[in-house]
Amino acid sequence: MSTAQDTSADIAGTRPAAGKSILTVPLVASLATLGLLIVVPLFLKNFVVFQLTMIVIYAIAILSLNILTGASGQVSLGHSAFFAVGAYATGIMMEHANVPYLLAIPIAGVICFVIGFLFGFPALRLKGVYLALATFALAVAAPPLFKLGTFEHWTGGVQGLLVTKPEPPFGLDISQDRYVYYLSLTIALIIYLLSVNLLNSRSGRALMAIRDNEIAASSMGVDLALYKTLAFGISAGFTGIAGALGAITVAYVAPDAYTFNFAIALFLGMVIGGVGWLPGSLAGAAFIVFVPNIAEGISKGLSYAVFGVFIFAVIFLLPNGARQLAYYLYAQIKKLVSRF
Amino acid sequence: MQGQPLLAVRDVSVVFGGIVALNNVSFDLRQGNILGLIGPNGAGKTTLFNCLSRLYQPSKGDILVDGASILSRPAHKICDVGIGRTFQNVALFPNLSVADNIRVGAHSHTKSDIVSDALHLPWTRRQEHTLNERVDEIIAYLDLQAVQDQLVSGLPFGTQKRVELARALAAEPKILLLDEPAGGLNHEEVHVLGDLIRRIRDDRKITVLLVEHHMGLVMSIADHVVALNFGSKLAEGTPAQVQSNPDVIKAYLGSKDQ
Ligand SMILES: Nc1ncnc2c1ncn2[C@@H]1O[C@H](COP(=O)(O)OP(=O)(O)O)[C@@H](O)[C@H]1O
Ligand SMILES: [Mg+2]
């Protein structure tokens, strides 16, 4: 978390350096990435667009985890549960109550915000590995609850729930897959901007102060309980929105899609992207979607072993993940520019 | 003769599982004074600070600011009565920049909610603007311009102590608690620090409660001195009175670190 010594505490990766033009390297890089995300899917097959959609959705969930862990210092190995609640809430609202998907998505976010906020209270008493275990319990408890016969009418039990994939509005002549992709990208962009704003504000500084030193933070007037529970709420709320988008993208909600493995994958994505660095969430999401496929391409039988080697290589070479790579490239570009 | 003290410590006792860290300690801190709190290691000075900032709860006694008890306030509401502090071993936010550390210092003087912050509503932007002006002023006052965008974790100890002082000033306290600010400083730096503490009191009208091991510093800047030993008050008075008190001399000669 600390190789970027000279970069200040720029968790959002967006603050322009003092005295420079506003067209900074990070800004140009962000806009270029966004440009690619908008243009490239126009030329891709529907299946690849679907995969890209999943990357964007996972990036939202990883970014949410980053707000909790990277900013407020609370570890979660249970974000699959919030994702699942978002997905089920959306599926149930759409299929049982005919709620339009554009309404169901934010409602799912609010439901998860409330659940996360409430979970934040018992979490106040837990630190480090104990909090990791408590959230782990959440992750293992969720799938069996969704399978439970009592709720079967709503959740579809072990069968899961089919969800209607939305049609493009206004008679737009694009495929459903592309429409869902651009919808997800728009929502991801909004969540990203809100998060950057949040972390660059009084609330964000309070969260990071808590992460760095709770006693000093409370002596400065920071209400630990308030901010730590809010961090849980915000993180769960955004993850719930990711879950909602996941439900309409896959058009199916099934309990076994949200196991503990998925929670670990999100955690892995956060580490690969760089803990505490929001732009890294996209790189982390790409890693957890593509690298298992690549590993399977190398060896079907040993795909997990190959995947493990990939993880090991990244953590060994880039302990601070994509963030480290980005800062390295940034330094190289600055050197190059200063020569002219 | 004088009116109500700004801070009154009344018969405060603190016990840690058998160890009496503070034993019926009482003293007054008057508006505009610099009060030196001295005593050998383990005398209970930091424990008293932790009671004042509500990190510890006294088992007995009361602490009054402007005549009102502060003992029912939670730690995060203590800046609201005007108490700010530094820590003996520096308790900064190591992964935040110097400027952000100081901004957090002003947390209690600003307000916001997560929705307004996430939307960067105009009123929060105006507040940030005012805050930045105040932070810039403090950075200039403590000569921290050169390091203001750097992470705190990479700075030398002496600079970190100045950042911590800056963070405490950002809360605009009425009473500033300094826990061994001269620790780790060389002779020259201690001299500069003494001037700085006096300037803070004079320019900013801040009353100072100074815990210090460095007798020279306390004796040169304090208006009033309280000496503790093994949790009890040993002596109280002007620097000269306390310095010549036989019990104080004995306590200091008896401890190895002075
Ligand atoms: N949290 C604590 N738990 C147990 N004992 C403590 C604690 N804090 C301080 N003490 C004890 O209280 C006594 C006074 O300590 P302290 O206030 O740190 O002294 P000083 O700051 O004067 O050097 C010491 O004996 C110390 O060991
Ligand atoms: Mg001490």
Side-chain angles (χ1 to χ4, degrees):
Chain A
M1 269 228 260
S2 56
T3 43
Q5 284 289 333
D6 57 340
T7 55
S8 163
D10 193 1
I11 184 171
T14 52
R15 199 177 302 158
K20 293 272 171 61
S21 93
I22 36 171
L23 216 61
T24 56
V25 175
L27 183 64
V28 171
S30 310
L31 292 177
T33 309
L34 181 60
L36 287 175
L37 286 171
I38 293 171
V39 175
V40 168
L42 293 172
F43 307 99
L44 295 174
K45 284 199 288 262
N46 275 337
F47 176 69
V48 188
V49 172
F50 168 81
Q51 275 191 319
L52 277 185
T53 313
M54 293 318 287
I55 290 180
V56 168
I57 291 169
Y58 291 162
I60 298 176
I62 293 171
L63 177 140
S64 316
L65 187 57
N66 235 330
I67 292 175
L68 186 69
T69 305
S72 91
Q74 301 179 92
V75 175
S76 169
L77 294 179
H79 263 47
S80 56
F82 300 125
F83 196 97
V85 171
Y88 270 103
T90 305
I92 292 168
M93 280 188 278
M94 285 171 65
E95 303 312 316
H96 289 277
N98 275 324
V99 177
Y101 66 94
L102 283 179
L103 193 59
I105 295 169
I107 295 176
V110 171
I111 292 172
C112 288
F113 173 89
V114 173
I115 294 174
F117 182 70
L118 294 177
F119 185 81
F121 283 94
L124 285 175
R125 320 200 61 182
L126 304 167
K127 289 216 164 60
V129 286
Y130 299 101
L131 182 56
L133 285 181
T135 50
F136 166 77
L138 211 57
V140 290
L145 284 178
F146 286 117
K147 283 184 207 168
L148 212 63
T150 332
F151 309 128
E152 197 170 343
H153 169 70
W154 302 98
T155 61
V158 278
Q159 300 291 316
L161 195 63
L162 284 169
V163 180
T164 317
K165 203 162 187 163
E167 294 288 341
F170 323 118
L172 269 178
D173 189 22
I174 55 172
S175 69
Q176 276 179 315
D177 281 320
R178 281 211 178 84
Y179 171 62
V180 173
Y181 171 79
Y182 285 112
L183 175 70
S184 302
L185 184 63
T186 308
I187 292 174
L189 189 64
I190 293 170
I191 289 178
Y192 176 71
L193 293 175
L194 291 176
S195 306
V196 169
N197 281 347
L198 187 71
L199 293 182
N200 282 328
S201 73
R202 176 176 177 271
S203 304
R205 289 190 299 264
L207 290 180
M208 292 185 272
I210 291 172
R211 172 197 67 196
D212 280 8
N213 192 325
E214 290 197 355
I215 288 177
S218 71
S219 292
M220 299 303 126
V222 175
D223 184 342
L224 302 182
L226 175 71
Y227 282 97
K228 287 174 91 168
T229 49
L230 279 176
F232 247 107
I234 295 164
S235 181
F238 286 162
T239 303
I241 291 176
L245 290 169
I248 64 169
T249 304
V250 183
Y252 180 49
V253 181
D256 291 325
Y258 314 109
T259 59
F260 172 61
N261 281 347
F262 180 48
I264 292 291
L266 293 177
F267 193 85
L268 175 66
M270 174 179 70
V271 176
I272 300 281
V275 179
W277 192 57
L278 299 187
S281 307
L282 191 62
F287 186 94
I288 64 172
V289 170
F290 283 137
V291 176
N293 288 350
I294 295 170
E296 208 171 295
I298 293 173
S299 162
K300 264 216 139 46
L302 286 174
S303 66
Y304 273 104
V306 177
F307 186 43
V309 170
F310 273 118
I311 295 172
F312 189 78
V314 171
I315 292 181
F316 193 72
L317 297 171
L318 297 170
N320 291 282
R323 170 190 217 170
Q324 202 172 342
L325 194 63
Y327 281 127
Y328 172 76
L329 292 174
Y330 181 36
Q332 294 302 327
I333 290 170
K334 270 213 289 206
K335 240 193 260 166
L336 214 70
V337 169
S338 66
R339 264 201 242 148
F340 295 101
Chain B
M1 187 179 93
Q2 297 171 72
Q4 184 178 315
L6 180 55
L7 172 76
V9 176
R10 294 276 172 268
D11 298 318
V12 167
S13 295
V14 175
V15 181
F16 292 114
I19 299 175
V20 182
L22 285 177
N23 183 15
N24 278 322
V25 172
S26 298
F27 63 85
D28 286 351
L29 174 61
R30 304 234 154 245
Q31 169 83 45
N33 270 8
I34 297 176
L35 190 152
L37 187 61
I38 62 166
N41 256 337
K45 306 179 298 289
T46 299
T47 302
L48 180 71
F49 267 28
N50 286 340
C51 292
L52 291 172
S53 46
R54 300 290 303 118
L55 299 173
Y56 293 166
Q57 178 74 4
S59 43
K60 186 176 148 295
D62 204 356
I63 297 170
L64 311 156
V65 172
D66 283 328
S69 174
I70 61 165
L71 291 189
S72 55
R73 284 178 174 266
H76 70 267
K77 291 245 168 77
I78 213 66
C79 1
D80 299 342
V81 294
I83 294 181
R85 75 173 289 183
T86 64
F87 294 81
Q88 184 170 345
N89 297 314
V90 177
L92 286 164
F93 310 120
N95 300 305
L96 295 189
S97 69
V98 167
D100 275 344
N101 267 273
I102 301 172
R103 288 189 185 104
V104 175
H107 186 88
S108 62
H109 270 259
T110 42
K111 56 182 182 6
S112 69
D113 56 86
I114 49 165
V115 175
S116 307
D117 275 343
L119 293 172
H120 260 210
L121 292 185
W123 72 267
T124 64
R125 268 179 295 184
R126 278 196 297 276
Q127 179 176 263
E128 287 282 295
H129 186 76
T130 321
L131 171 64
N132 287 341
E133 281 174 358
R134 191 195 317 181
V135 169
D136 287 345
E137 186 269 326
I138 294 170
I139 284 175
Y141 188 74
L142 291 176
D143 208 15
L144 289 165
Q145 292 100 327
V147 293
Q148 61 176 335
D149 292 323
Q150 287 184 33
L151 293 192
V152 156
S153 55
L155 298 174
F157 191 65
T159 313
Q160 293 197 4
K161 292 209 126 180
R162 248 183 316 138
V163 175
E164 213 190 14
L165 187 56
R167 186 182 65 181
L169 290 181
E172 297 182 1
K174 285 192 289 188
I175 306 169
L176 180 59
L177 313 179
L178 301 174
D179 199 348
E180 306 208 13
L185 302 188
N186 66 30
H187 191 74
E188 179 62 28
E189 290 168 331
V190 170
H191 193 75
V192 173
L193 177 69
D195 285 344
L196 176 63
I197 294 172
R198 248 194 309 236
R199 269 202 293 139
I200 287 174
R201 189 259 313 262
D202 298 338
D203 301 349
R204 296 178 172 263
K205 308 282 174 262
I206 295 175
T207 304
V208 178
L209 181 53
L210 170 69
V211 160
E212 197 37 82
H213 240 69
H214 197 288
M215 283 296 248
L217 176 66
V218 177
M219 294 307 159
S220 65
I221 67 169
D223 303 293
H224 194 81
V225 176
V226 171
L228 292 180
N229 194 24
F230 294 118
S232 299
K233 189 165 82 177
L234 207 56
E236 175 171 9
T238 63
Q241 284 168 345
V242 172
Q243 209 165 11
S244 58
N245 183 302
D247 292 334
V248 174
I249 294 170
K250 216 166 79 196
Y252 267 84
L253 288 178
S255 77
K256 284 188 211 90
D257 42 26
Q258 192 64 37

